[in-house]
Structures are given as C-alpha cells and as structure tokens.
Amino acid sequence: MNKGKSGWWWLRAAGLTVLTVWLVRTLLVTTCVIPSSGMENSLYQGERILVNKWSYGLRLPFCSLFGYHRLASSRAEKGDILLFNNPHPQQVEKGIEWRELFISRCIGTPGDTLMLDADLNCVGGEVLSPDAKSLYAYPVSSEDLMLTVLSDEKNRTEVHPYVIPAKGVPVKVYPWNVTLLCNTIVAHEHQPAEVRHDTLYVKGKPVEAYTFGKDYYWVASNDPVNICDSRLFGFVPEDHLIGKAWRIWYSSRKGRFWQRVQ
C-alpha cells in the first residue's frame, strides 16, 4: 500500500473515532468522576460512572447560545441520582453547559412540599437511600394543612414547609422562604427581585406569590456533612439537568464494575 494513502487512511480512521466518541457523549451517554465522599455508600470517591443523557430527555447542546430545548422531556423522580451543572457558579456569565458538574440525589420534585429546618435540612419522612437524609414530601395542595399542623405543635422548632416550584404554579411567599425564592427569581428566572422587611418585591412591586416559568428540584448528598447540595445552592432548575447516573464503569472496589447506580 502506498505510504501516502496508508497515512491518509489512518488519519480518517482517527477522525472518525473522535467524531463517534463526540457524538456518543453528546447525544447518548457521558461519563464523570465522583469527586468526593458525599454520595457514599451509593457512589464512592474516585469511581467513574456513565450518565444516561436521555433519562429526562436530551438537552440539546449549546443551550447558552441557542436557548434551552430538550427532546422527549420528562421529569426526574425522587430518589434519582442526578448529574447537573452548578446552579450557583462564581462566574454567573458562564454558559450553563460550561459550568462545573455536580451529582446529588433528588429528594424533591416540582410541586412537592418539603419540611426543612433553619439550615435547610429535610426533617423526618421517607428514606431514599441507606445514607440519605430523611424528608417529608407532600403535594402542594397540602401546604395550608401542614401550616396548621405546625402552628398547633407545643414543641416549636424551626421547621417549615417549602414548596418546590413547578412551572406555571404559584408559590406563596412566607418569611422563611422569601430569601430562597428571591435568589431563584434573580438567578434563574432572570427577573429583578429584592426582599424588604420579609416582603418580596418583583419588578418593584410587592407580591404574595410568584409563578415560576421552570420546573425545579431539591437535591441532597447522602452524607449530611457534605453540603454541596441544595442547602448550598438552592433549587436546581430543569435546564441544568444533564441526566441520571446509570452504571459504574470503573471502581477500585471489588465487584462494583457495571453495577447499576442505586
């Protein structure tokens, strides 16, 4: 075989390989390294996992340039381990898809009401993994009932119901959630908002409720000491979701290769 033709063949093969890998990682699955011990014992630090980018519909690339679009969109479910872009980056001008990656367990879906204490820890309720914090999750229609129950308790604690915003559904403003809602409106709804004496002002007008334009999620680490979750950065918008953790493809621990992520 002519050396020139042979070199050209290898160059084309290498280019085709690179293109195939790029298409697979862009359109099907991606891989990430678990950076810390926050998700033990579900995922251990240093493990490599595959993430299914079609779990909630494929987020089309370059959304910071062409807008957010998702093919075959569906919602994440409580208990899913999610890969998502940092909702609260230091460089806010950086496009969503270029921000650092976080991985946490979803414990609140759009429309849920979680019981959170003053430090935004979930209190009581369903356990979603052996190491997960507990939570109460109620439909948003039960919010008023939960407020009544809490007001009747003799042993008062700083625990309040927080509604996870769902697209098109008004969320009532209370003194305990006003700062979280304001931060979300500014950062992810891109509307001017501020808090004055526990009152939320949007576009300069006081509001008692706000209707969000996106679905949001609340996520938590398995390890309650690790606060790299919604206690740190608040609600995770739907457009930040990349996919659901799927399979472990590398681990230094015996017997974990190709295990499904639980």
Side-chain angles (χ1 to χ4, degrees):
M1 181 181 291
N2 183 278
K3 289 185 177 181
K5 290 184 177 180
S6 176
W8 177 245
W9 183 86
W10 282 108
L11 184 61
R12 287 197 301 174
L16 181 61
T17 300
V18 170
L19 178 61
T20 301
V21 171
W22 181 82
L23 287 173
V24 168
R25 294 195 60 173
T26 301
L27 301 178
L28 297 177
V29 297
T30 189
T31 182
C32 73
V33 180
I34 305 305
S36 70
S37 61
M39 290 306 296
E40 294 182 1
N41 292 333
S42 298
L43 293 168
Y44 291 93
Q45 186 173 7
E47 289 185 330
R48 275 75 165 172
I49 65 169
L50 295 176
V51 176
N52 184 352
K53 301 185 78 170
W54 281 90
S55 299
Y56 315 116
L58 177 68
R59 186 181 72 179
L60 297 184
F62 309 115
C63 55
S64 60
L65 295 176
F66 304 114
Y68 167 67
H69 302 283
R70 192 179 291 271
L71 300 179
S73 177
S74 64
R75 286 180 174 179
E77 297 181 358
K78 285 195 290 290
D80 290 354
I81 295 181
L82 310 177
L83 182 70
F84 54 94
N85 295 105
N86 183 1
H88 188 62
Q90 291 184 343
Q91 298 176 310
V92 294
E93 70 279 0
K94 184 179 288 187
I96 294 172
E97 68 272 26
W98 307 117
R99 298 175 184 177
E100 61 185 315
L101 301 180
F102 286 166
I103 188 163
S104 292
R105 190 179 297 276
C106 174
I107 64 170
T109 60
D112 286 341
T113 300
L114 301 184
M115 303 304 298
L116 305 180
D117 64 17
D119 296 321
L120 299 183
N121 293 300
C122 291
V123 179
E126 178 186 4
V127 176
L128 296 174
S129 82
D131 302 301
K133 298 185 292 296
S134 299
L135 67 128
Y136 283 128
Y138 305 95
V140 66
S141 59
S142 300
E143 181 185 11
D144 291 336
L145 174 61
M146 292 312 304
L147 287 173
T148 302
V149 172
L150 286 173
S151 65
D152 291 339
E153 290 183 357
K154 293 181 180 180
N155 183 20
R156 297 294 181 87
T157 59
E158 289 297 320
V159 177
H160 298 289
Y162 285 73
V163 174
I164 312 301
K167 183 177 180 179
V169 180
V171 177
K172 294 180 182 178
V173 180
Y174 298 103
W176 58 83
N177 72 353
V178 63
T179 300
L180 179 60
L181 295 182
C182 180
N183 292 342
T184 306
I185 292 168
V186 172
H188 303 303
E189 299 285 310
H190 306 296
Q191 297 293 332
E194 61 178 332
V195 178
R196 305 179 203 163
H197 307 293
D198 288 338
T199 299
L200 176 62
Y201 286 76
V202 180
K203 296 182 179 180
K205 297 181 179 180
V207 297
E208 296 182 352
Y210 184 83
T211 302
F212 287 82
K214 303 177 184 178
D215 282 334
Y216 291 83
Y217 297 87
W218 191 266
V219 300
S221 304
N222 280 1
D223 181 358
V225 177
N226 187 309
I227 62 168
C228 194
D229 55 24
S230 285
R231 292 171 293 168
L232 174 66
F233 46 69
F235 300 120
V236 178
E238 60 179 343
D239 54 10
H240 283 55
L241 298 187
I242 297 171
K244 179 181 177 181
W246 177 41
R247 298 275 184 178
I248 300 169
W249 68 265
Y250 170 81
S251 177
S252 61
R253 295 172 178 265
K254 191 175 181 179
R256 287 180 62 80
F257 175 73
W258 212 244
Q259 278 193 3
R260 182 177 290 275
V261 178
Q262 303 286 341

